[in-house]
Amino acid sequence: MPFWLEARGSEFSWVHLISAMEANINLVYCISVAALLWTLSRNDFNKALQPAVLGLLVLSTYRPIVLEILMHVFHLGDWFALAFKAGYSVFLGGVALGLCTALTGEVSTNGKVH
């Protein structure tokens, strides 16, 4: 909502565009984390992949800290932060999508779990 409420009566500002893009990136990020948690809760989940999924979930909790360190050390701006968040969210989403597709593909091939 900040994009709509703040930009309605004012001139164009990059702050509003960055805010809107960041909201969409955060939505993809939250859906990806939820998908990873969903794969862990399934009974037919391959236990050999559990450490990798748990590692991704742990790394996802440290995303803000890593981003702040990179921005502070290298004096980077808002656009880098947006690109970093987008890259990490797309990576996490791709892994989550692959796992979810593999799990649902195994179930739907014969109607039961392999």
Side-chain angles (χ1 to χ4, degrees):
M1 284 308 271
F3 179 65
W4 177 258
L5 295 176
E6 292 175 7
R8 205 165 92 176
S10 63
E11 295 180 14
F12 177 78
S13 174
W14 285 103
V15 173
H16 303 301
L17 185 65
I18 290 174
S19 175
M21 292 173 67
E22 189 173 12
N24 288 320
I25 291 168
N26 287 336
L27 180 65
V28 170
Y29 174 74
C30 290
I31 291 171
S32 302
V33 170
L36 287 174
L37 290 171
W38 175 73
T39 58
L40 283 177
S41 68
R42 292 183 54 113
N43 294 332
D44 58 346
F45 181 64
N46 186 357
K47 298 299 180 192
L49 295 175
Q50 188 173 10
V53 173
L54 287 173
L56 283 172
L57 286 171
V58 168
L59 285 176
S60 69
T61 60
Y62 289 113
R63 182 185 80 158
I65 296 170
V66 171
L67 179 61
E68 287 297 321
I69 289 172
L70 287 173
M71 288 182 67
H72 181 70
V73 170
F74 296 112
H75 304 290
L76 301 168
D78 292 337
W79 288 106
F80 174 80
L82 193 67
F84 178 81
K85 288 178 184 178
Y88 189 81
S89 297
V90 166
F91 170 73
L92 196 65
V95 171
L97 178 66
L99 286 172
C100 291
T101 304
L103 285 176
T104 56
E106 288 178 5
V107 173
S108 66
T109 54
N110 291 332
K112 58 182 178 178
V113 178
H114 290 133

